[in-house]
Amino acid sequence: QEQSAKDAVVDVDDDDDEASKQEMQKDTEDEDSGEDSDEATEDENEPWYSSWLDNIRHPTLMHTYNSLLIQVRFHELRVHFLQSYNFPHDFRVSEYLVRCQLQVLIRLVTVSNIAWLLLTAFMNILYYVLGIVGYKTEDAEVVGVSLIYIFFSGMLFFVVVAVIVYRRMNVIFREIMERPELWDTTHAQDDEERKEELIREQKNLFWAGSPKLVIAAIQFMQFGYAVALSVVIVFWDQIDDGDVAMIWYWVIVGFCYALYVAVAGH
């Protein structure tokens, strides 16, 4: 009986210890959740320009922070991706992404038939309109000045398109890194409505719900720069006799194309 009583006391002590541990763990979780909610509230209360100010005040520190943040979020997304599709832990997500990027690259370097038809239609319309202008004014200089304005306006338009694509892809990248639930197919395997909702949310990240528009915009810029460069080479003598120095054509085309390559590479 004495031994049974001692065992009972030990069991009670163990239960008390276990209960106290659970209580301490619960308090810790509550504190963590409270800290997370406080941090989230602080992030929400921060002005929209705070990140810009941080980049200006601490450029090196913010660059390091963003680089590390991308790596952490990538590994978080990788784990969530493997769990969602029940892949083994040794599955190389990086190789999978490289294969996907190669498929996109092949589509980028291939100019579609529609692009050729649109270019042909645009050049014919431009040739027709400038022919009418030259016939009515009987002044070749007017046609030359018009072509100069069209050339540089086209280059400026491509720069604007490149900046828009760059900003949009940054927004999509942040959404992918911050919302891994977009690929949460584990809980939607038997729920067709949930699957359709996830697909719709993924497509809504792009313009008009179509990722093809981004590829079309990059193809459009690539084709446009090729046409601009070919115009400079083919009509070298005529352009060299114009009002604008030849060096500016090379500088503008080179700068705009470098910006395009940077956006496509990003």
Side-chain angles (χ1 to χ4, degrees):
Q1 289 177 353
E2 288 178 0
Q3 186 64 32
S4 299
K6 290 180 180 179
D7 294 339
V9 171
V10 171
D11 293 338
V12 171
D13 292 338
D14 292 340
D15 293 339
D16 291 340
D17 292 340
E18 187 67 27
S20 62
K21 288 181 181 178
Q22 292 178 356
E23 241 179 71
M24 291 175 63
Q25 185 177 2
K26 184 178 179 182
D27 293 339
T28 305
E29 292 176 355
D30 292 339
E31 289 177 1
D32 292 339
S33 61
E35 290 176 359
D36 293 340
S37 61
D38 292 340
E39 290 177 358
T41 305
E42 290 177 0
D43 292 339
E44 292 176 357
N45 293 332
E46 287 183 355
W48 60 271
Y49 54 84
S50 61
S51 60
W52 292 86
L53 293 177
D54 292 336
N55 288 325
I56 295 174
R57 294 172 181 171
H58 314 285
T60 306
L61 183 62
M62 289 303 297
H63 177 73
T64 305
Y65 169 77
N66 291 327
S67 301
L68 295 175
L69 184 62
I70 289 175
Q71 296 180 24
V72 171
R73 286 180 173 171
F74 170 76
H75 287 291
E76 181 184 0
L77 181 64
R78 174 184 176 276
V79 172
H80 190 86
F81 181 80
L82 296 178
Q83 293 177 349
S84 297
Y85 292 95
N86 294 323
F87 287 155
H89 292 289
D90 57 350
F91 181 80
R92 300 297 297 271
V93 178
S94 58
E95 294 180 0
Y96 166 76
L97 293 178
V98 167
R99 293 182 62 181
C100 295
Q101 288 179 345
L102 288 177
Q103 293 179 1
V104 175
L105 181 62
I106 292 173
R107 295 178 61 184
L108 287 178
V109 300
T110 304
V111 181
S112 62
N113 296 329
I114 297 178
W116 283 108
L117 293 175
L118 290 176
L119 176 65
T120 305
F122 173 75
M123 297 303 294
N124 285 328
I125 294 174
L126 179 63
Y127 181 79
Y128 178 75
V129 172
L130 291 180
I132 294 177
V133 171
Y135 176 77
K136 290 294 183 181
T137 59
E138 297 182 354
D139 188 359
E141 187 177 354
V142 175
V143 177
V145 173
S146 301
L147 288 174
I148 291 174
Y149 277 107
I150 291 173
F151 183 88
F152 287 103
S153 298
M155 293 294 98
L156 179 61
F157 176 72
F158 288 151
V159 170
V160 173
V161 173
V163 172
I164 292 175
V165 171
Y166 178 80
R167 292 180 63 86
R168 188 59 192 173
M169 294 308 296
N170 274 337
V171 171
I172 295 174
F173 183 75
R174 286 198 302 268
E175 287 289 331
I176 290 175
M177 288 298 184
E178 295 175 2
R179 296 181 58 195
E181 67 273 9
L182 289 175
W183 286 264
D184 194 5
T185 58
T186 303
H187 302 91
Q189 291 181 352
D190 300 327
D191 191 351
E192 293 297 332
E193 294 183 359
R194 177 58 179 165
K195 282 185 179 180
E196 293 179 359
E197 182 181 355
L198 288 174
I199 294 174
R200 186 166 54 253
E201 289 183 5
Q202 293 174 17
K203 289 185 176 181
N204 286 338
L205 296 175
F206 298 88
W207 294 308
S210 177
K212 294 180 180 180
L213 290 179
V214 176
I215 297 178
I218 296 177
Q219 281 184 330
F220 175 72
M221 289 187 290
Q222 174 188 355
F223 204 30
Y225 289 127
V227 171
L229 185 59
S230 63
V231 167
V232 173
I233 295 175
V234 173
F235 299 98
W236 179 284
D237 295 334
Q238 290 83 351
I239 294 176
D240 197 21
D241 295 335
D243 297 332
V244 181
M246 193 66 185
I247 186 63
W248 289 110
Y249 289 92
W250 292 107
V251 169
I252 294 299
V253 173
F255 172 77
C256 295
Y257 189 73
L259 181 62
Y260 158 76
V261 172
V263 170
H266 181 79

